Amino acid sequence: MPNEKLPNKKSLHEIDGISQPDHVNQDSIRTIQNFRRKSLNIDLLIEKLLQGDIPSLSKAITIIESTNPTHKEQAHKIIQTCLPHANKSVRIGITGVPGVGKSTFIEAFGMYLTSIGKKVAVLAVDPSSTISKGSILGDKTRMEDLVKNANAFIRPSASGESLGGVSRKTRESIILCEACGFDTILIETVGVGQSETAVHSMTDFFLLLNLAGAGDELQGIKRGIMEMADAVIINKADGDNLKRANNAKLDINRALHLFPLKDSKWQPKVLLASAFYNQGIEDVWQLLEKYFSLTKENGYFETNRKNQNAYWLKETVNEQLLSNFYQNQTIYDQLQNAENAVQNNEKSPFTAANELLELYNKMNKST
């Protein structure tokens, strides 16, 4: 039956857990931790990463994601060494509202790509709690078949305080995955709605997953994210929902045709798919191949990559300036006083901000 999905054992229940020993020697733990810190050889790590070693790739991404100041120089060396070996993949951003089935779609899509000889890296970004600052990072559990695939790599990361649906170091992670030999990079965003500009500025193709009943063509026009989409996939188009999915396809098609033609000269398309039943997945890849063929032929693919590099140069400068500002101890001390003055209505936020910036500029001039 086409609409039947074979029963599959959940990955969480495939292997029995290991019982916790009654006592763990804390001295042994410290000895092992110290050994691991001392034994990290960055040159060897990079060498193994370039040979396609997955554990080395994971360690390298951990280093570039680290906020530890001692890792900054190591991260810079890793990225600079890997850069000449990068830019040999296609980068696909995948977004959609929570519940649209992003993880299920990515697993079905990734399994199809590996079946035709592709090496797939999935950079999945989970939203961070504004209260606890934590993230679930459960994508590996959801993608229980893809995570066991030898030609796939899944890396969940926390979004932290970054906007735009990606983590602070997603772009650098892309470079490392490409250097490790992955030719297809899938970036799953947190699905925050209209703040997807960051992932759009680091991918070659932007894929929007949608659901039937999400609004008519007027609602589609109102969404800023629709303008960025190179294709819209109506997911969960199966069973009783198939008729609604077809109606949604017509609505979104009408909305897309009201937008001006993209610089890529590509007219966005709308497709139906059911990731759960593995339907329509091959059609999605065929559509992407047409896009890549068109944009490489007309030169947009390369031009877009160059423009993205320039964009991320400025973003990196902004990030570094912000980091330097808040890490300055004098500024940090004055910031507490400024916050108190603003909270007590003794100063306006704008006046306090200007005073802090003037202080920072004077300190930089004196040095």
Side-chain angles (χ1 to χ4, degrees):
M1 296 292 290
N3 277 4
E4 288 185 0
K5 185 175 174 73
L6 295 176
N8 192 12
K9 223 175 179 184
K10 295 293 182 184
S11 56
L12 287 175
H13 300 99
E14 289 187 357
I15 302 174
D16 293 333
I18 300 173
S19 300
Q20 182 70 21
D22 294 334
H23 177 69
V24 179
N25 190 305
Q26 295 300 318
D27 291 334
S28 298
I29 292 176
R30 283 190 288 271
T31 300
I32 293 171
Q33 288 174 339
N34 290 333
F35 173 77
R36 285 176 176 171
R37 292 191 189 102
K38 292 177 182 177
S39 64
L40 182 61
N41 185 316
I42 293 298
D43 292 326
L44 181 60
L45 180 72
I46 296 172
E47 180 183 341
K48 293 176 71 175
L49 185 155
L50 295 176
Q51 293 172 355
D53 184 63
I54 301 301
S56 297
L57 172 61
S58 296
K59 289 178 183 177
I61 293 177
T62 299
I63 291 172
I64 67 169
E65 287 182 340
S66 172
T67 56
N68 190 327
T70 60
H71 291 158
K72 185 177 291 187
E73 187 176 339
Q74 294 176 337
H76 177 72
K77 183 175 183 179
I78 292 170
I79 295 167
Q80 283 300 112
T81 309
C82 288
L83 195 57
H85 304 274
N87 296 301
K88 299 176 183 177
S89 75
V90 291
R91 306 164 181 173
I92 304 164
I94 301 176
T95 190
V97 296
V100 75
K102 291 191 294 294
S103 296
T104 305
F105 176 84
I106 289 173
E107 178 173 49
F109 191 44
M111 291 296 290
Y112 171 75
L113 291 175
T114 56
S115 74
I116 60 173
K118 302 291 184 183
K119 289 195 69 178
V120 180
V122 179
L123 301 176
V125 183
D126 265 12
S128 296
S129 168
T130 56
I131 300 173
S132 66
K133 309 301 181 184
S135 294
I136 298 175
L137 303 178
D139 293 277
K140 280 193 172 185
T141 303
R142 284 180 173 150
M143 304 176 195
E144 52 196 46
D145 292 325
L146 190 61
V147 75
K148 294 177 287 187
N149 193 310
N151 289 318
F153 169 72
I154 302 174
R155 173 73 182 204
S157 298
S159 63
E161 297 178 355
S162 300
L163 299 176
V166 291
S167 75
R168 187 173 57 89
K169 295 295 182 181
T170 300
R171 181 169 167 81
E172 287 90 336
S173 298
I174 292 173
I175 293 172
L176 268 57
C177 289
E178 291 175 339
C180 194
F182 290 95
D183 53 37
T184 309
I185 315 295
L186 307 181
I187 305 169
E188 179 194 1
T189 78
V190 299
V192 292
Q194 296 188 6
S195 300
E196 305 296 299
T197 52
V199 70
H200 183 258
S201 65
M202 65 176 69
T203 55
D204 306 309
F205 191 94
F206 193 53
L207 187 62
L208 172 63
L209 297 186
N210 214 331
L211 291 170
D216 57 18
E217 62 267 30
L218 185 60
Q219 180 64 28
I221 295 170
K222 289 196 296 183
R223 295 179 192 147
I225 191 174
M226 196 74 78
E227 286 184 290
M228 295 185 288
D230 296 304
V232 179
I233 308 299
I234 309 296
N235 196 25
K236 303 185 180 181
D238 51 63
D240 296 337
N241 201 39
L242 186 56
K243 183 178 179 180
R244 289 190 292 271
N246 275 302
N247 291 335
K249 179 180 178 181
L250 293 174
D251 286 338
I252 294 174
N253 252 323
R254 285 194 288 264
L256 291 174
H257 278 86
L258 293 173
F259 292 123
L261 188 65
K262 290 175 174 285
D263 292 339
S264 61
K265 308 305 179 186
W266 169 261
Q267 177 62 50
K269 306 292 191 298
V270 186
L271 296 179
L272 300 183
S274 173
F276 186 79
Y277 294 111
N278 207 29
Q279 296 172 349
I281 303 301
E282 184 177 352
D283 296 337
V284 175
W285 178 243
Q286 290 175 354
L287 181 68
L288 266 72
E289 285 187 314
K290 291 179 182 177
Y291 173 86
F292 294 134
S293 177
L294 171 69
T295 54
K296 288 180 179 180
E297 185 178 334
N298 64 24
Y300 176 79
F301 188 93
E302 186 64 28
T303 301
N304 187 46
R305 284 278 181 101
K306 290 179 179 179
N307 290 338
Q308 288 178 351
N309 289 340
Y311 171 84
W312 283 100
L313 164 65
K314 296 174 183 176
E315 285 296 303
T316 304
V317 170
N318 292 339
E319 180 184 311
Q320 191 61 54
L321 287 172
L322 194 65
S323 176
N324 290 344
F325 180 84
Y326 284 109
Q327 287 179 3
N328 185 294
Q329 187 60 48
T330 303
I331 294 296
Y332 179 81
D333 294 338
Q334 292 299 317
L335 184 61
Q336 310 303 309
N337 297 330
E339 285 181 354
N340 291 333
V342 169
Q343 288 172 347
N344 294 324
N345 292 317
E346 297 170 2
K347 288 182 183 179
S348 74
F350 312 104
T351 300
N354 283 332
E355 289 176 354
L356 287 171
L357 289 170
E358 287 175 3
L359 174 62
Y360 182 70
N361 290 331
K362 285 179 181 177
M363 292 173 60
N364 285 337
K365 287 179 181 179
S366 62
T367 57

